Amino acid sequence: MMWLCRMFSIGVVAAAVSAAAQGPAPSRPLLVTVDDLPVAMGHLHNDPAERERITKDLLAVLARHHVPAVAFVIWGNVSGPADVALLERWLAAGHELGNHSKSHPDYSDIGAEAYVADVEAGRAGLAGLLERHGRTVRFFRFPYLTEGNTVAKLDAMREYLGHSGQMSVPVTIDDQDWSYEERWVQARRARDSEGMERIAEEYQAALRHEVATQTEMGEKLFGRTIPQILLLHANEVGSAQWDALFTWLESRGYRFAPADEVLADPAIATSHRYDNEPGGSLWYHVAHERQSKEAREQVADLLRAQAVAWNRGDLAAFCAVYDEDAVFLTPSGLARGRQAVLDRYTARYPTRDAMGTLALEPLEAREAWGTEVTLLGDAFPSRVHGVSLVARWTLRAADGSARTGLTLLVFLRRGGRWLIMQDASM
Ligand SMILES: [Zn+2]
């Protein structure tokens, strides 16, 4: 589930859906995943009979549409034999249960050790139940879809998951189905049928929009029809809305596919090292990683081009990559503006011989980017708009002597090209 509030208008969403999903598409495998078992937002449903009714209704819709689901259990929310019986209903219906931690922590908020301990406690609890049914815990779903906000945290969980035989199941169609639950339950309890109708309309419009846009995004990334993984929650609004949603999905060419088929697809199995917030769709992570890589390559290309310009004695071309307002720092002072940078170089290196031969070697790069929010309130990484790069420069004179040092370059994307905004050379 995402953590931002919903903000959208049905009109805008409806227009986007009709534009993005025209006509029956080719058959797309779709894995349905259901989070937060036994019952999502369980505090709204303390009555065991209500929890049982919701579970039965969800399972009935899944059966009607022949959906083989993977459902993820928050073990700390399994509060007694009645809840265990609910989980056994999912198993009896042929669905697979996966681990969703013990207490649903946000990996951005706690350290790796505490997080792994919580996830392991969830696994151990669920494993006890599954063993009695001859099954094992194969799958894990990251709460809030955050896989770790540092490389070390990312690696700690990947190592733990590998050792414990659990596979992380990503989400490609992230949505906010969970955010309708409280309003839906209130409207139903107040017998507000108009309110329920309105919520139903919003739920369907929002889910269709997410399915259409995130399918389109994934297929653009890979240039082919690819499987998708839909995130739903085990809630009451779902028990009333899944039937219409699944019927619509079938009409758009989606085929409910088992986990093993979908997870084996190379697009879904794409490795990424996205170590940041927000969580969200796998496609955002893949797209972000591609953009980061592209940005690093582009600035590395610029450095190569600069060295080539220098080595043919073309200082104007060498300085063309500086922004008009660039700032150049050295231990001896500061130059402001491209022209001042060029003047400084021209004064220091008046002849081709004085320039010698320059080599620039990128050592480390970091991208600057932020968080954007969709119409529906889903957070996603923005495009990369800045790169700071540490490089080693080496200048060889004609007599073979060499000087070397480090430089920190800050690049910003301006009008489709990268320009150096700041250069600190030492
Ligand atoms: Zn969850």
Side-chain angles (χ1 to χ4, degrees):
M1 66 170 74
M2 289 308 307
W3 37 270
L4 290 167
C5 61
R6 271 175 308 117
M7 38 178 194
F8 77 103
S9 99
I10 290 181
V12 174
V13 168
V17 169
S18 59
Q22 279 168 2
S27 167
R28 291 184 175 89
L30 178 80
L31 172 62
V32 172
T33 61
V34 184
D35 279 14
D36 295 3
L37 264 60
V39 173
M41 291 195 181
H43 62 280
L44 297 174
H45 308 286
N46 288 320
D47 176 7
E50 193 166 296
R51 293 162 87 91
E52 190 180 344
R53 173 177 59 75
I54 292 168
T55 303
K56 277 175 154 175
D57 289 351
L58 292 174
L59 291 171
V61 187
L62 292 171
R64 195 172 313 138
H65 293 269
H66 309 286
V67 179
V70 178
F72 292 93
V73 179
I74 304 173
W75 190 255
N77 288 357
V78 180
S79 58
D83 276 347
V84 170
L86 297 184
L87 300 182
E88 284 172 331
R89 281 182 182 272
W90 286 84
L91 291 174
H95 304 294
E96 181 151 1
L97 296 182
N99 177 19
H100 195 34
S101 81
K102 185 180 178 206
S103 72
H104 209 270
D106 187 335
Y107 201 6
S108 301
D109 294 343
I110 63 172
E113 208 175 311
Y115 190 83
V116 168
D118 192 274
V119 172
E120 172 55 20
R123 189 207 63 81
L126 181 61
L129 166 64
L130 293 187
E131 266 164 33
R132 297 200 291 277
H133 296 268
R135 314 218 193 161
T136 55
V137 182
R138 297 199 300 152
F139 298 131
F140 172 72
R141 161 73 42 81
F142 280 94
Y144 309 103
L145 308 179
T146 50
E147 299 183 30
N149 57 344
T150 65
V151 173
K153 284 164 92 170
L154 196 79
D155 287 340
M157 264 306 283
R158 288 182 180 187
E159 199 192 325
Y160 158 74
L161 290 174
H163 279 154
S164 58
Q166 298 170 87
M167 185 180 185
S168 166
V169 178
V171 167
T172 71
I173 300 170
D174 183 24
D175 56 72
Q176 306 206 24
D177 70 315
W178 58 273
S179 68
Y180 300 87
E181 177 69 353
E182 192 159 3
R183 281 166 65 210
W184 174 266
V185 170
Q186 279 166 1
R188 193 257 305 155
R189 285 180 184 156
R191 297 177 203 282
D192 173 8
S193 56
E194 246 174 60
M196 289 167 76
E197 226 168 89
R198 208 165 42 239
I199 296 162
E201 208 178 308
E202 288 180 22
Y203 179 103
Q204 297 294 339
L207 270 283
R208 289 177 187 192
H209 173 77
E210 297 285 19
V211 167
T213 54
Q214 292 178 49
T215 295
E216 193 182 330
M217 182 180 183
E219 297 190 354
K220 240 184 220 165
L221 281 172
F222 291 92
R224 63 179 171 94
T225 301
I226 52 176
Q228 301 287 339
I229 303 176
L230 176 65
L231 170 62
L232 296 171
H233 286 79
N235 54 21
E236 185 183 311
V237 67
S239 72
Q241 299 306 319
W242 286 5
D243 192 26
L245 175 66
F246 292 167
T247 301
W248 178 81
L249 284 166
E250 287 157 349
S251 78
R252 309 317 286 196
Y254 291 88
R255 171 176 61 81
F256 301 115
D260 290 304
E261 176 193 333
V262 168
L263 294 171
D265 188 281
I268 299 287
T270 304
S271 70
H272 71 84
R273 299 196 46 83
Y274 176 84
D275 62 339
N276 224 303
E277 294 176 276
S281 169
L282 173 67
W283 305 146
Y284 288 135
H285 300 176
V286 171
H288 177 77
E289 195 142 286
R290 284 195 196 175
Q291 280 181 23
S292 297
K293 187 165 172 269
E294 189 185 58
R296 284 167 190 238
E297 284 170 0
Q298 285 169 344
V299 299
D301 283 348
L302 278 184
L303 287 199
R304 270 189 288 275
Q306 270 194 299
V308 168
W310 183 280
N311 294 334
R312 67 166 187 264
D314 190 347
L315 277 177
F318 177 83
C319 289
V321 67
Y322 286 86
D323 183 64
E324 228 180 295
D325 288 330
V327 170
F328 186 94
L329 287 78
T330 66
S332 62
L334 189 144
R336 277 183 191 278
R338 185 194 298 141
Q339 188 59 47
V341 174
L342 177 58
D343 293 347
R344 186 185 170 280
Y345 276 119
T346 310
R348 273 178 80 104
Y349 303 98
T351 65
R352 176 68 197 86
D353 277 353
M355 290 175 71
T357 305
L358 176 69
L360 288 168
E361 182 200 354
L363 300 179
E364 203 231 32
R366 301 195 179 194
E367 303 87 39
W369 53 280
T371 298
E372 290 186 29
V373 181
T374 68
L375 275 177
L376 296 171
D378 294 317
F380 67 96
S382 74
R383 73 186 298 206
V384 174
H385 45 73
V387 177
S388 65
L389 179 92
V390 175
R392 173 165 293 284
W393 58 266
T394 305
L395 205 50
R396 271 175 216 293
D399 65 8
S401 64
R403 285 186 297 131
T404 186
L406 296 173
T407 182
L408 173 64
L409 300 167
V410 177
F411 290 88
L412 286 186
R413 202 198 294 266
R414 284 276 165 91
R417 57 187 290 236
W418 291 101
L419 291 170
I420 297 173
M421 294 290 145
Q422 290 172 313
D423 177 340
S425 290
M426 54 210 80

Tab-separated table of all heavy atoms in Angstrom, residues 1 35-36 74 100 104 143 233, ligand 1:
chain	number	residue	atom	x	y	z
A	1	MET	N	0.836	-1.191	0.000
A	1	MET	CA	0.000	0.000	0.000
A	1	MET	C	0.874	1.245	0.000
A	1	MET	O	1.930	1.271	0.589
A	1	MET	CB	-0.982	-0.029	1.162
A	1	MET	CG	-0.355	0.049	2.550
A	1	MET	SD	-1.575	0.300	3.845
A	1	MET	CE	-2.371	-1.254	4.001
A	35	ASP	N	-2.843	-8.769	-0.411
A	35	ASP	CA	-2.012	-8.475	0.768
A	35	ASP	C	-2.838	-8.348	2.050
A	35	ASP	O	-4.043	-8.126	2.016
A	35	ASP	CB	-1.245	-7.162	0.548
A	35	ASP	CG	0.005	-7.374	-0.309
A	35	ASP	OD1	0.123	-8.447	-0.942
A	35	ASP	OD2	0.854	-6.460	-0.349
A	36	ASP	N	-2.114	-8.469	3.141
A	36	ASP	CA	-2.611	-8.140	4.490
A	36	ASP	C	-3.646	-9.127	5.025
A	36	ASP	O	-4.583	-8.740	5.723
A	36	ASP	CB	-3.154	-6.701	4.550
A	36	ASP	CG	-2.072	-5.656	4.321
A	36	ASP	OD1	-0.918	-6.034	4.053
A	36	ASP	OD2	-2.388	-4.453	4.402
A	74	ILE	N	0.096	-11.218	7.202
A	74	ILE	CA	0.787	-10.509	8.290
A	74	ILE	C	0.590	-11.386	9.530
A	74	ILE	O	-0.495	-11.405	10.132
A	74	ILE	CB	0.185	-9.110	8.535
A	74	ILE	CG1	0.200	-8.269	7.256
A	74	ILE	CG2	0.946	-8.390	9.666
A	74	ILE	CD1	-0.531	-6.937	7.380
A	100	HIS	N	4.264	-11.882	4.718
A	100	HIS	CA	4.194	-10.413	4.586
A	100	HIS	C	4.662	-9.781	5.896
A	100	HIS	O	4.178	-8.731	6.288
A	100	HIS	CB	2.758	-10.015	4.234
A	100	HIS	CG	2.584	-8.612	3.730
A	100	HIS	ND1	3.519	-7.951	2.956
A	100	HIS	CD2	1.559	-7.715	3.878
A	100	HIS	CE1	3.059	-6.738	2.668
A	100	HIS	NE2	1.879	-6.572	3.230
A	104	HIS	N	4.375	-5.866	9.783
A	104	HIS	CA	4.210	-4.908	8.680
A	104	HIS	C	5.037	-3.644	8.879
A	104	HIS	O	4.534	-2.516	8.756
A	104	HIS	CB	2.722	-4.552	8.523
A	104	HIS	CG	2.337	-4.180	7.112
A	104	HIS	ND1	2.403	-2.883	6.655
A	104	HIS	CD2	1.886	-4.910	6.079
A	104	HIS	CE1	2.000	-2.851	5.400
A	104	HIS	NE2	1.681	-4.063	5.016
A	143	PRO	N	6.314	-5.098	2.851
A	143	PRO	CA	5.299	-4.113	3.257
A	143	PRO	C	5.626	-2.746	2.645
A	143	PRO	O	6.796	-2.360	2.583
A	143	PRO	CB	5.415	-4.081	4.784
A	143	PRO	CG	5.934	-5.442	5.150
A	143	PRO	CD	6.864	-5.820	4.024
A	233	HIS	N	-5.954	-5.986	-1.791
A	233	HIS	CA	-5.921	-6.260	-0.352
A	233	HIS	C	-7.154	-7.066	0.041
A	233	HIS	O	-8.213	-6.940	-0.584
A	233	HIS	CB	-5.856	-4.948	0.445
A	233	HIS	CG	-4.515	-4.295	0.388
A	233	HIS	ND1	-4.104	-3.549	-0.696
A	233	HIS	CD2	-3.471	-4.306	1.253
A	233	HIS	CE1	-2.862	-3.115	-0.480
A	233	HIS	NE2	-2.454	-3.565	0.690
B	1	ZN	ZN	0.729	-4.783	3.360
